[in-house]
Amino acid sequence: MVVIPMATSTSSSSSISVVGTGTSFSHRHHRHFHSPSSISSRFHNNRFLLSSSLAFSPRRDSRRVVHGGGLGLRRNKPDIWKHYSSFLSEPAAPLQKSCTSCCHASTKKRRGSLARFVPAAFFDKSSFGLSKDKLRYGYVKRVQLPRATVGPDEPHAASTTWPDGIAEKQDLSVSDSELEMIEGFLSSELPSHPKLYRGQLKNGLRYLILPNKVPPTRFEAHMEVHAGSIDEEDDEQGIAHMIEHVAFLGSKKREKLLGTGARSNAYTDFHHTVFHIHAPTSTKDSDDLLPSVLDALNEIAFHPKFLASRIEKERRAILSELQMMNTIEYRVDCQLLQHLHSENKLSKRFPIGLEDQIKKWDADKIRKFHERWYFPANATLYIVGDIDNISKTVNQIEAVFGQTGVDNEKGSVASPSAFGAMASFLVPKLSVGLGGNSIERSTNTTDQSKIFNKERQAVRPPVKHNWSLPESSANLNAPQIFQHELLQNFSINMFCKIPVNKVQTYRDLRVVLMKRIFLSALHFRINTRYKSSNPPFTSVELDHSDSGREGCTVTTLTITAEPNNWQNAIRVAVHEVRRLKEFGVTQGELTRYLDALLKDSEHLAAMIDNVSSVDNLDFIMESDALGHQVMDQRQGHESLLAVAGTVTLDEVNSVGAEVLEFIADFGKPTAPLPAAIVACVPKKVHIEGAGETEFKISSTGITDAIKAGLNEPIEPEPELEVPKELVQSAKLQELKNLRKPAFIPLSPETGATKLHDEETGITRRRLANGIPVNYKISNSETQSGVMRLIVGGGRAAESSDSRGSVIVGVRTLSEGGRVGNFSREQVELFCVNHLINCSLESTEEFISMEFRFTLRDNGMRAAFQLLHMVLEHSVWLDDAFDRARQLYLSYYRSIPKSLERSTAHKLMVAMLDGDERFTEPTPNSLESLTLQSVKDAVMNQFVGDNMEVSIVGDFTEEDIESCILDYLGTAQARRNFKTEQEFIPPSFRPSPSNLLFQEVFLNDTDERACAYIAGPAPNRWGFTVDGNDLLKTIDITPSISDNGAKSDALQTKGGPRKSLRSHPLFFGITMGLLSEIINSRLFTTVRDSLGLTYDVSFELNLFDRLKLGWYVISVTSTPSKVHKAVDACKNVLRGVHSNRITDRELDRAKRTLLMRHEAEIKSNAYWLGLLAHLQASSVPRKDISCIKDLTFLYEDATVEDIYLAYEQLKVDEDSLYSCIGVAGAQTAQDIAAPLEEEEADDGYPGILPVGRGLSTMTRPTT
């Protein structure tokens, strides 16, 4: 796997819902627009790596890397996992391609440590459908917290006061002795993590151990070798990545771990290679698994066998990976890095390497690079997990690694860098020993200088940067332009590059805090000011982030726009940046954002015992790389509180102005020169009435647009009135008197108004207005809560004359962001003050709203007030509708420029008989929509008994039921039967069809190929598209497994449970297991044995409400191999019948899914997914047993059960659809014409049905 570090990148987390809204495996595209608090600068886990992403709406399609690019740009990963940046967000993280050379592709990614929540009014996360996902987030408990005093010019903010202690307010006189005391405090070092244990073996191997019990009985072991692509010579480009593949997949000891429940993976970036294993602490026989894991890592890193057969196998895989990665988004990323780092090797050493060199290396060449760099003194071992005995762990490390390299290696402390003093500005010197932080121990008993003779680089990465310093504008490099026919939108990046400021003292932390406040204000200003009028840009983002992988701090202004608006987009963005730089933030903004940051830090501190091992490990590795002090969450919060009292308005504005100087003072001698200005633009643009015309742009034109923005007059920012409540107490009482909210019996049979399940802690209620409510009290995420409203219908409810109305309507609602008499700005700030995030989403089956909130300061009541206002007083605006419609028009037009999207579109349109409800709306459909039609399409689904609300959090029964009655119970009861009467169920194209196999050709400068194979499946509950109820056809006689074991009714301490075959979730369980098994076989056969692909996956889309589902196999390959790859995939799929599933395969699939379930079971968000549809009339088979029996149902499954599920997948020649996409300079035809012909001739849209493509979506299993 290759990791591309980006200066403007962040990350996400992912998880798989076993039983949740929609399906576990369908594709979604999300549209995120954030409130000021979404700025992704966090001290994330008190990481202190500032990454303030200013994501101004309308938000483009996000990917794992969310900073930069535009619609379809710089998005190398589809929207498989929901992404949330937060107040305290991830620093610059790499773009990382899943490496199917590894056992679990999603295991190691530079994810956010807590996948935190974003206070915001509305996100829109509307989706189409090949793969679904679930949210993860972290929340924390209440801690006594000081907050900023309200400024005199902001009377409407919530009143807060500073505590006694260090508090320097602007009007406060401070004596010399007090100033001296403050100065001494700020100069002191930050505390170090109290539980982090550091040590070093006599051979130079350093190790770090952190006990952590989340998840319990599991641990992470990561071996980081400090060698990457930056260490390659001119004829070795890609060899570090080759070694990663060969060493990892060639390890027999790693293979022995596969049956233990362990997962493993590896990746390579500029300056290191990481091999990592996630494993249980013991085997089924209670044997300690850590020694075996360490033994595997020792073999992988230091004793690989470079067998010719393995080298050839991985050579094929890497060449396939190279073509798979080479999307237009990847090429844009490469362009940005090449210009940003043009002065050093970072611009010339992309980890994937060069094709002609990869084809040439023999075993001897590869071995020599390994001998040069892979030795203990050039590596660090990280162990984080449920480790009780530190001494025992240290002994185990010594026993496995102690003798490696001792005889023939000598390691010395890293010598001073050739770059001299500049080394201190880069990442920390990786010399012997990690002085400074935490418990440290050396197991060295002799003079190390006499033992090993290899040394690591003093500076990582070992490159020299040209910093952005004030110089004559004559030295300014002209803006660079990357123009390509596959680009759809305009984007421009202005870069400023400075040394990393290591956060080691309270003063360092104080600077980070002040930058964070300043950039929060900039984000909110543009997001809200231009939201109420049609902005000339698609997004404007300002990212200020440290990058350990690049050894620098990069500030990036990224502007994306429709090509026709590029000059105005630059002008507006630059103008707003200059206004903030000149006038600064207001006292009210300082109060507001400082308070919000402290609240979020408090949440993190209370979350200290709920942070997963892998998140803690990622945090430590990144902090070490940057030289930041490593603290735990509680220390970080206490430190933040300590410095918050010293922050003044003048200093915040001074520090923030420095960050913006390279933009706001562009062209002045005193301004830092931008490191690079890079525009990525299309070759042609669509002009209404004229069609495709040549897009013209010049470096001079870009410079002129920047200067035009700087020359416009500016005015200071006015203060805003922030509402304390959205529903006033008097109004609430009036509603309660009028509508008399009450709970009613859940069913006429029982007469009970409340059902509580002791085992799960789930309570079910139903309101008099028809709204069913489920809630669960959980203290696993202290003082935090999540709430989801699910509305049945979704896009499937769109009528034949209003296709696209639901998805455009949801987008319109989020674009407007207003409720009642409150402006968008007021709603956003209300969310900021209460740390609320609200997101909207439309899928094929449902519309949903999701709220994440804190329980402190009436946060839950505030979230319920917002939900009440959306239900009762949502505001629909013409300009918001225009923006939403334009966005989907742009999506449609971008399809012919994407190989993956074009290929998937042809397949899905063919299979679903042109049903536009599963595709992005066409221009004709969009033009026929009106504001009233999209409003009706959405709000007609908001009917009492068609809605369901679920809440999970650390609240009391009294508080939650009070909120339910007050704000849901007072919503007006509505009935609407029109939607159900007009509903036309979806169907598959009648067989046989001449569209079962199709091809797409795309003209491109580089060759690539992909393919999709799909066919019908039942829905999660056993219903098929032709009306069959498969559960009624299943023989409920206890099944017998291959080993003769009989599956009877499950016995538990609570009494007997239903057996799997008699359970309504039979197909949901068995299809999930079958998916894991097929994925494993695809990897083993198509990728590993035949070498036809790097990336292949099997996905299931099992609906809940709609009576159908489908499966999709996604495969990337080369043009010469793609047809063979498709045939091989079909053979694997159909071969399940003849090549019988073994008990071993089934056991491994069970362990994988149960492990995911166990890892998520303490998450509020996961429980929210489990609660979905518990009382939904449209999903009648979902009951409490689907939650209570989940683990037992997986354990009960037999091979025969899996075959009952497999028989329901249509894999015959008349049902299996496939489409191959080939891109290259010599392709037969362009794909734009077929798209137009399909729409004209067949009457169905030429668009992709499932989000923004599946190009790199994998969940490989070995």
Side-chain angles (χ1 to χ4, degrees), residues 962-991:
S962 172
C963 286
I964 292 169
L965 287 170
D966 285 354
Y967 300 109
L968 291 179
T970 54
Q972 190 171 0
R974 290 195 293 268
R975 296 288 185 272
N976 181 10
F977 302 103
K978 182 180 178 181
T979 303
E980 286 295 328
Q981 292 170 354
E982 293 185 353
F983 175 71
I984 302 172
S987 62
F988 295 104
R989 183 181 293 272
S991 298

Side-chain angles (χ1 to χ4, degrees), residues 130-264:
L130 287 187
S131 155
K132 292 206 176 153
D133 58 81
K134 175 181 102 42
L135 300 175
R136 289 180 58 211
Y137 13 67
Y139 306 94
V140 289
K141 73 178 181 182
R142 180 169 186 160
V143 175
Q144 187 59 40
L145 172 70
R147 288 168 289 159
T149 303
V150 178
D153 51 355
E154 191 173 26
H156 302 282
S159 178
T160 55
T161 58
W162 285 104
D164 295 334
I166 299 174
E168 183 188 4
K169 294 174 59 179
Q170 286 186 282
D171 59 348
L172 187 66
S173 59
V174 181
S175 67
D176 291 342
S177 61
E178 288 173 322
L179 283 174
E180 185 177 342
M181 179 187 71
I182 293 173
E183 186 64 25
F185 156 69
L186 293 175
S187 300
S188 60
E189 285 193 2
L190 293 164
S192 60
H193 199 303
K195 295 182 179 180
L196 184 61
Y197 185 97
R198 298 176 185 264
Q200 183 177 357
L201 300 182
K202 62 183 180 181
N203 59 10
L205 177 70
R206 298 181 305 176
Y207 58 85
L208 292 85
I209 304 169
L210 178 65
N212 189 68
K213 292 188 177 296
V214 180
T217 69
R218 300 195 72 85
F219 68 92
E220 298 281 342
H222 291 214
M223 177 63 75
E224 179 182 51
V225 180
H226 302 283
S229 61
I230 205 72
D231 302 299
E232 298 164 350
E233 300 299 331
D234 288 343
D235 63 344
E236 297 175 328
Q237 295 184 53
I239 204 166
H241 180 227
M242 171 71 86
I243 288 175
E244 172 223 312
H245 273 246
V246 174
F248 182 83
L249 279 170
S251 170
K252 298 297 183 184
K253 293 181 178 179
R254 180 193 63 84
E255 288 182 1
K256 291 179 180 178
L257 296 172
L258 295 180
T260 64
R263 305 192 309 269
S264 54

Side-chain angles (χ1 to χ4, degrees), residues 887-1026:
L887 184 67
Y888 284 105
L889 186 61
S890 177
Y891 288 164
Y892 175 85
R893 288 175 178 156
S894 68
I895 290 164
K897 298 188 176 185
S898 167
L899 180 66
E900 289 77 19
R901 296 176 62 196
S902 301
T903 306
H905 128 263
K906 269 189 173 290
L907 178 140
M908 297 301 289
V909 166
M911 185 174 70
L912 292 170
D913 204 18
D915 194 332
E916 193 179 326
R917 293 173 294 179
F918 296 89
T919 65
E920 293 183 57
T922 65
N924 287 342
S925 296
L926 291 169
E927 287 300 322
S928 68
L929 298 176
T930 65
L931 178 63
Q932 189 62 46
S933 69
V934 301
K935 177 182 178 181
D936 290 343
V938 172
M939 298 310 294
N940 283 344
Q941 296 184 28
F942 282 72
V943 178
D945 53 6
N946 190 45
M947 299 189 290
E948 180 188 53
V949 176
S950 299
I951 315 104
V952 182
D954 187 22
F955 38 71
T956 65
E957 180 180 342
E958 180 182 3
D959 286 344
I960 188 61
E961 297 208 343
S962 172
C963 286
I964 292 169
L965 287 170
D966 285 354
Y967 300 109
L968 291 179
T970 54
Q972 190 171 0
R974 290 195 293 268
R975 296 288 185 272
N976 181 10
F977 302 103
K978 182 180 178 181
T979 303
E980 286 295 328
Q981 292 170 354
E982 293 185 353
F983 175 71
I984 302 172
S987 62
F988 295 104
R989 183 181 293 272
S991 298
S993 167
N994 59 356
L995 299 179
L996 289 169
F997 174 74
Q998 300 180 92
E999 292 185 279
V1000 164
F1001 300 96
L1002 177 63
N1003 285 325
D1004 191 2
T1005 52
D1006 299 345
E1007 286 190 348
R1008 296 174 57 238
C1010 68
Y1012 300 105
I1013 305 160
N1019 78 356
R1020 190 190 312 277
W1021 308 99
F1023 293 102
T1024 66
V1025 71
D1026 51 11

Side-chain angles (χ1 to χ4, degrees), residues 1046-1261:
K1046 193 173 185 179
S1047 173
D1048 294 305
L1050 300 160
Q1051 295 294 325
T1052 69
K1053 59 185 178 181
R1057 300 178 186 266
K1058 293 179 181 178
S1059 68
L1060 177 58
R1061 290 200 178 189
S1062 61
H1063 200 281
L1065 202 53
F1066 174 84
F1067 283 100
I1069 295 292
T1070 53
M1071 286 290 185
L1073 292 166
L1074 177 62
S1075 177
E1076 291 295 324
I1077 293 166
I1078 292 176
N1079 260 312
S1080 179
R1081 289 190 173 190
L1082 285 170
F1083 176 90
T1084 302
T1085 303
V1086 185
R1087 195 273 192 197
D1088 208 31
S1089 298
L1090 300 177
L1092 297 173
T1093 181
Y1094 173 80
D1095 186 2
V1096 60
S1097 67
F1098 177 86
E1099 300 285 325
L1100 275 169
N1101 187 3
L1102 305 180
F1103 290 109
D1104 287 288
R1105 194 170 189 262
L1106 300 176
K1107 294 183 179 180
L1108 82 164
W1110 59 74
Y1111 61 86
V1112 178
I1113 296 177
S1114 310
V1115 60
T1116 61
S1117 189
T1118 64
S1120 61
K1121 294 181 179 179
V1122 67
H1123 288 83
K1124 292 181 180 178
V1126 168
D1127 289 340
C1129 289
K1130 290 180 180 179
N1131 290 338
V1132 169
L1133 182 61
R1134 291 170 175 156
V1136 173
H1137 183 74
S1138 56
N1139 183 11
R1140 189 164 179 80
I1141 296 169
T1142 65
D1143 282 331
R1144 186 170 181 268
E1145 285 181 296
L1146 178 57
D1147 287 343
R1148 186 183 298 176
K1150 288 180 181 180
R1151 280 195 301 273
T1152 300
L1153 293 182
L1154 286 172
M1155 183 172 59
R1156 294 175 192 168
H1157 174 64
E1158 291 164 4
E1160 297 287 351
I1161 199 65
K1162 288 190 175 182
S1163 160
N1164 285 351
Y1166 187 70
W1167 274 103
L1168 204 60
L1170 294 176
L1171 289 173
H1173 318 312
L1174 193 54
Q1175 296 189 65
S1177 58
S1178 58
V1179 189
R1181 284 186 169 157
K1182 176 72 177 280
D1183 59 27
I1184 196 71
S1185 71
C1186 295
I1187 302 172
K1188 294 170 65 172
D1189 299 347
L1190 205 52
T1191 299
F1192 306 103
L1193 294 173
Y1194 277 118
E1195 293 171 346
D1196 192 44
T1198 66
V1199 170
E1200 192 59 40
D1201 294 330
I1202 306 305
Y1203 274 102
L1204 288 175
Y1206 173 70
E1207 289 167 3
Q1208 305 309 319
L1209 299 183
K1210 304 298 184 183
V1211 299
D1212 59 277
E1213 288 292 347
D1214 290 337
S1215 301
L1216 194 149
Y1217 287 79
S1218 61
C1219 187
I1220 291 175
V1222 177
Q1226 304 300 320
T1227 52
Q1229 65 188 88
D1230 185 58
I1231 63 172
L1235 286 175
E1236 294 168 1
E1237 290 167 7
E1238 283 177 358
E1239 186 177 5
D1241 298 342
D1242 298 333
Y1244 53 79
I1247 56 179
L1248 172 68
V1250 271
R1252 313 287 190 281
L1254 319 155
S1255 57
T1256 57
M1257 211 274 289
T1258 61
R1259 270 202 303 278
T1261 308

